[in-house]
Amino acid sequence: MALVTSRLSDTLTQKARTKLGIRFGRFTVAAIAAFTTTEVVLTICAGPLDLTATWASIISWFSGALVSYVLSRWAWKRKGRPSLLKETLPFWIVSAMVVVILLLATKFGYHSASWMNLTGVERVLYVDAVYGTANIGTFVLRFLFFHYVLFASSGGRPAPRAAEEALASTDPGPEPFARAAEPDRGDDDEDDEDEDFER
C-alpha cells in the first residue's frame, strides 16, 4: 500500500511540475479567489441587502469575474495591454455563459429554499451551497477553454534561436572513447618542430 501511495505521490508531483500542472495550479488560485469573492458578495446580497435572485446572482458573478479576469491573466503570464478581440471579448463571452448557469442555480436555490421553508441563516447558507456547487461545476470547463483556446498562444514558448542554444548547451560533445582515439595535435606539432631542429 505504501508503495502504491509513493508512486501516486511521485506521479502527481511530476504532473504538477509540467507546464499544464503549473497553469492549473495558478488557475486554481485564481478560481478560489474569484469563488470566495462571489460567495461573500452573494451572502451580502441575499442576506443583509435582501436582493432578488437575479440581482444577487449578477452582482456576485460580476465581482468574481473581475477578480477571475485579472488573476487568469496572471496565471497564464499575460502582460501588457490585453487584446480586445483575442482575449477580453472571448473571456467575457465565456463569463456570460457562466453567469447564465449561475443565475439558474441561484434561482433554483431561492425557490428550493422556499419549498423547504428555510429562513434566515439557513436559507442564505443553502443558496450559497447551491451557487457554489454550480460554480465548481464550471471550473474545469473554464480552465480547458482558457488553457487550450483563450491563452493558448501565451508566452513561455522559447524562440527558435533560444531552443537551438538550449540544445547546444546540453550536447555533451564527442564520446570519451572518440576523444581518446583522436590524435593529439599538440604532440604532432612538437614532433615536427623537433625534426626541423634536427635538420
Side-chain angles (χ1 to χ4, degrees), residues 49-198:
L49 297 181
D50 196 28
L51 298 179
T52 63
T54 301
W55 280 110
S57 182
I58 289 173
I59 293 171
S60 58
W61 159 78
F62 186 74
S63 303
L66 284 176
V67 173
S68 177
Y69 180 69
V70 172
L71 292 182
S72 292
R73 296 194 84 236
W74 162 78
W76 275 270
K77 296 182 179 180
R78 302 294 283 214
K79 296 178 182 178
R81 188 175 179 180
S83 169
L84 178 64
L85 295 177
K86 293 181 180 179
E87 185 180 316
T88 306
L89 193 60
F91 177 89
W92 287 103
I93 289 172
V94 170
S95 296
M97 294 177 185
V98 169
V99 76
V100 171
I101 295 170
L102 297 180
L103 178 60
L104 293 173
T106 308
K107 283 183 175 289
F108 173 77
Y110 270 58
H111 290 301
S112 56
S114 65
W115 299 334
M116 294 185 286
N117 298 318
L118 297 177
T119 56
V121 176
E122 288 182 344
R123 173 182 169 273
V124 172
L125 291 176
Y126 176 76
V127 171
D128 281 348
V130 173
Y131 183 89
T133 302
N135 208 336
I136 291 169
T138 64
F139 170 78
V140 175
L141 294 176
R142 281 180 290 152
F143 173 76
L144 293 174
F145 177 77
F146 290 166
H147 187 71
Y148 292 108
V149 180
L150 187 60
F151 298 122
S153 61
S154 67
R157 294 180 183 175
R161 182 171 189 134
E164 288 171 9
E165 289 175 3
L167 285 173
S169 66
T170 58
D171 183 14
E175 293 294 324
F177 297 111
R179 279 194 220 129
E182 288 178 0
D184 189 352
R185 297 292 178 189
D187 293 343
D188 289 347
D189 292 341
E190 288 177 8
D191 291 342
D192 291 341
E193 288 174 6
D194 291 342
E195 287 177 8
D196 291 338
F197 180 74
E198 289 172 3

Side-chain angles (χ1 to χ4, degrees), residues 38-51:
T38 56
E39 286 293 324
V40 169
V41 173
L42 180 65
T43 300
I44 293 169
C45 291
L49 297 181
D50 196 28
L51 298 179

